[in-house]
Amino acid sequence: MTSGKKRFLLTSLLLLPLACLAAPTPDNTDARALVASLKRPAPARTPFAEARFMKVLDKPLVVSGELSWLGGDRLERRVDKPAKEVSTIADGEVTQERDGRKPRTFSLKRAPQLKILLDSFVALLGGDASRLDDSFDVHLGRDADRWALTLTPRDARLVKQIASIQVYGSGNQPRCMRMNEADGDTSIDMLGELATHMPAEPKLEAVIAQCGGAM
């Protein structure tokens, strides 16, 4: 499994253009209250569609399926298109299963960046602001009912791979996520009903506009 695939097994929430939102507040009290409001009972499942924009590809890679938080530190990412694949994190291990192939398993100890991402998404879905603060500097921007959480990794090793994660939503509903890699590659995920609107051949600006237009 490539390091790029490992970094994106946990891609799970949603996005709105950051330029449309208020500047981050220095007081994280509001951010902690927002994170608490995002808490969901497990299991929590939602459709997703992801577009990955990579310099080594002539066109974006698009996959879709279902993301699931199964409770505790257990996450599952099931891809239905273009090919079936299931990636699961549980009991300190990552397992990848593909049709017609033997399952592949590796320890989270081999991928500390995944462990940090696991902590962040479990913290978001569990409404645990303290756990989120352990791994990320968290900044909140608001524009009326719309909000943007910008997560910057505290771990210097992770920053060399993932520059930032931006989670955008409205009310207590995360709607889009954008993950910015240090090398300039980007992925955007749409969740829920918005996932059905991912173009077959997306353009970065158009996907951002779709996420923003949904608010």
Side-chain angles (χ1 to χ4, degrees):
M1 184 186 303
T2 65
S3 60
K5 287 185 177 179
K6 289 180 182 179
R7 289 198 298 273
F8 283 89
L9 293 183
L10 299 179
T11 303
S12 25
L13 300 162
L14 282 245
L15 154 92
L16 220 209
L18 188 60
C20 296
L21 296 159
T25 172
D27 183 359
N28 72 350
T29 301
D30 196 22
R32 295 177 67 86
L34 173 65
V35 172
S37 77
L38 301 180
K39 184 176 181 178
R40 298 290 184 268
R45 305 176 188 275
T46 187
F48 82 95
E50 176 183 284
R52 293 187 62 189
F53 300 86
M54 305 172 66
K55 295 189 294 294
V56 297
L57 299 179
D58 294 331
K59 60 182 181 180
L61 174 65
V62 178
V63 300
S64 62
E66 184 180 72
L67 293 161
S68 303
W69 175 47
L70 305 178
D73 286 0
R74 295 181 297 155
L75 296 175
E76 179 182 275
R77 181 178 187 263
R78 191 191 75 225
V79 174
D80 296 322
K81 296 179 180 180
K84 293 186 179 300
E85 177 181 313
V86 178
S87 299
T88 306
I89 294 181
D91 301 322
E93 292 187 334
V94 181
T95 300
Q96 184 181 53
E97 301 175 81
R98 296 179 181 175
D99 286 350
R101 298 187 182 183
K102 183 178 179 180
R104 302 177 63 181
T105 301
F106 63 91
S107 172
L108 275 177
K109 293 180 180 179
R110 291 175 47 197
Q113 73 276 18
L114 270 185
K115 178 62 169 63
I116 295 175
L117 287 175
L118 173 67
D119 288 342
S120 68
F121 289 122
V122 169
L124 286 170
L125 295 171
D128 189 344
S130 295
R131 181 169 178 175
L132 192 67
D133 285 340
D134 287 342
S135 298
F136 289 89
D137 287 323
V138 182
H139 297 280
L140 173 65
R142 281 193 180 277
D143 180 14
D145 193 45
R146 299 181 300 174
W147 51 264
L149 281 173
T150 300
L151 311 178
T152 304
R154 295 182 182 277
D155 191 313
R157 295 170 300 173
L158 183 58
V159 171
K160 293 179 180 179
Q161 299 178 14
I162 301 174
S164 64
I165 299 171
Q166 295 163 333
V167 183
Y168 300 85
S170 178
N172 68 345
Q173 294 292 331
R175 298 177 60 85
C176 285
M177 172 214 168
R178 178 174 181 172
M179 182 178 290
N180 305 298
E181 292 193 63
D183 62 5
D185 290 345
T186 298
S187 73
I188 298 179
D189 279 68
M190 298 176 169
L191 285 187
E193 294 182 2
L194 194 61
T196 63
H197 298 289
M198 178 68 77
E201 296 187 6
K203 302 294 185 182
L204 180 59
E205 295 81 3
V207 175
I208 292 174
Q210 282 184 286
C211 288
M215 303 309 251

